[in-house]
Amino acid sequence: MTTPSSPHRVLGIETSCDETAASVVDGGSVIASSVVSSQIDLHARYGGVVPELAGRAHVERLTPVLSEALDLAGSDASGTGIDAVAVTHGPGLIGSLLVGVAEAKALSLAWGVPLIGVNHLEAHLFASLLEQPDLGLPLAVLLVSGGHTLLIEVSEPGRYRVLGGTIDDAAGEAFDKVARFLGLGYPGGPAIDRIADEGDPHAFAFPRSLPGPGYDFSFSGLKTSVVNTVRRQPDASTADVAASFRLAVVDVLVTRARRAAAEMGATALCLAGGVAANSLLRRRIEAACAEDGIGAFLPSRALCTDNAAMVAAAGWWRLRHEGPSPLTLGADPDLRLPTAA
Ligand code: KG4
Ligand code: ZN
């Protein structure tokens, strides 16, 4: 519950990569509006996000996206009823981050409400809290996106211990690169997920790389193996290759996440980030958690990929616990998660 003095209604702004998004969230968990303008069509022909194009598109799209989010939430350009402005200030593309940060500062000043800088990775974790406000601790989080593959232990709210991460490609990056090689377009994750449903996941025995005894990941060997296989067998069914590749990625993610959850005595395992929208990963995590007798928290697909509702939710929590950010807030492309003591 919010105390009367705590800001209730937060406007969130997200421009860290290729989605321009704004959202109004009440009390940290009730979404009053959430508008996402994807730049997929802009970047698709280049096979990946072009930073200069992304920054320029955010400049063009942020104003209409903000107006729509405010309008849908019953507010307006003067910020009626908005108590605070939260914005992703890292990690991400510097030119893209700066667009959101500058806008958030301007609105905070103009409306006379607090500004809150939000870590994009922490925001992905808050996507689960929007739908399940009572996640128990300790919590194991598998954060898998286009830029990150992290296994995280949350044993106190707002503090994170990173157990492992990728030593080369992020999981989403591997999906995108393999999809591009197979001619399936951008972004690759959803394309591979779709076509994989029609293929045989056991047609090719792609490698499952588990580097070291800890919790690190590696996907570049798998990617190379897919490329070499298809070059050797140009007639191989794309659906079979996609299905076998998807299974190899999911096997590795589930194996590592499950062991991390068991070793930390987690009450639940939570998925976050764009790759958490993967249908096989969702099924396999749910089955593993049911077998291990722990909770499985899977944000709905729209909340897995980049959006501003998760930014507003994380901002609401940060403001209540740590207060506002200064108006000197900068964008930090390499921002890390706040670590546990
Ligand atoms: O979290 P996100 O929207 O942006 C980043 O912060 O990176 O994640 C985007 C990534 C892309 O690599 C995309 O291919 C992947 O998430 N993705 C998926 C699926 N939907 C999105 N990967 C696998 N299966 C999916 N269904
Ligand atoms: Zn993201």
Side-chain angles (χ1 to χ4, degrees):
M1 289 298 292
T2 53
T3 57
S5 61
S6 69
H8 187 73
R9 183 157 253 224
V10 177
L11 170 69
I13 297 176
E14 161 62 41
T15 63
S16 67
C17 191
D18 60 343
E19 259 93 31
T20 313
S23 165
V24 175
V25 173
D26 291 328
S29 62
V30 180
I31 302 175
S33 67
S34 180
V35 179
V36 180
S37 168
S38 170
Q39 301 177 8
I40 284 175
D41 32 334
L42 192 65
H43 303 285
R45 65 187 171 121
Y46 303 101
V49 178
V50 183
E52 288 76 10
L53 294 183
R56 204 178 313 150
H58 287 306
V59 173
E60 287 164 7
R61 297 179 186 193
L62 186 52
T63 302
V65 165
L66 269 169
S67 305
E68 192 182 343
L70 289 168
D71 191 45
L72 288 172
S75 183
D76 52 30
S78 61
T80 307
I82 303 292
D83 299 309
V85 180
V87 62
T88 300
H89 74 118
L93 303 169
I94 183 70
S96 294
L97 290 165
L98 283 168
V99 177
V101 170
E103 181 72 33
K105 286 182 184 178
L107 293 178
S108 157
L109 260 177
W111 295 345
V113 298
L115 171 74
I116 319 146
V118 168
N119 182 308
H120 182 79
L121 303 176
E122 182 172 56
H124 270 301
L125 308 190
F126 272 83
S128 284
L129 291 173
L130 278 163
E131 293 168 322
Q132 300 269 356
D134 301 319
L135 294 186
L137 297 177
L139 186 67
V141 180
L142 176 63
L143 200 169
V144 270
S145 69
H148 295 86
T149 303
L150 296 172
L151 253 176
I152 300 162
E153 176 180 344
V154 190
S155 39
E156 54 175 317
R159 290 279 173 266
Y160 309 97
R161 193 158 77 88
V162 175
L163 304 174
T166 182
I167 58 171
D168 40 55
D169 291 347
E173 193 181 353
F175 271 102
D176 292 337
K177 286 179 176 171
V178 166
R180 187 175 171 184
F181 172 71
L182 295 176
L184 295 175
Y186 175 83
I192 289 191
D193 205 12
R194 267 193 305 276
I195 195 168
D197 283 341
E198 293 154 26
D200 173 6
H202 303 291
F204 301 96
F206 292 131
R208 273 74 167 152
S209 168
L210 296 168
Y215 295 106
D216 284 339
F217 299 92
S218 164
F219 295 107
S220 80
L222 168 60
K223 180 190 66 193
T224 307
S225 176
V226 171
V227 170
N228 290 340
T229 301
V230 174
R231 288 207 171 124
R232 268 198 313 271
Q233 303 177 52
D235 295 334
S237 142
T238 302
D240 285 353
V241 173
S244 304
F245 165 74
R246 179 177 70 169
L247 180 60
V249 174
V250 168
D251 268 352
V252 167
L253 293 174
V254 173
T255 303
R256 284 283 201 240
R258 197 173 185 180
R259 183 161 67 80
E263 284 181 9
M264 75 177 75
T267 56
L269 176 59
C270 173
L271 280 185
V275 181
N278 187 270
S279 56
L280 181 66
L281 179 62
R282 296 172 80 87
R283 287 199 298 277
R284 291 279 305 276
I285 287 284
E286 272 186 324
C289 289
E291 211 175 300
D292 296 345
I294 61 171
F297 292 118
L298 314 179
S300 57
R301 284 165 195 242
L303 287 175
C304 288
T305 46
D306 287 350
N307 64 86
M310 66 185 194
V311 176
W316 178 85
W317 192 91
R318 282 272 150 211
L319 183 61
R320 278 173 56 105
H321 291 86
E322 289 178 359
S325 304
L327 276 173
T328 52
L329 180 77
D332 181 353
D334 302 314
L335 191 67
R336 301 286 178 100
L337 277 171
T339 49

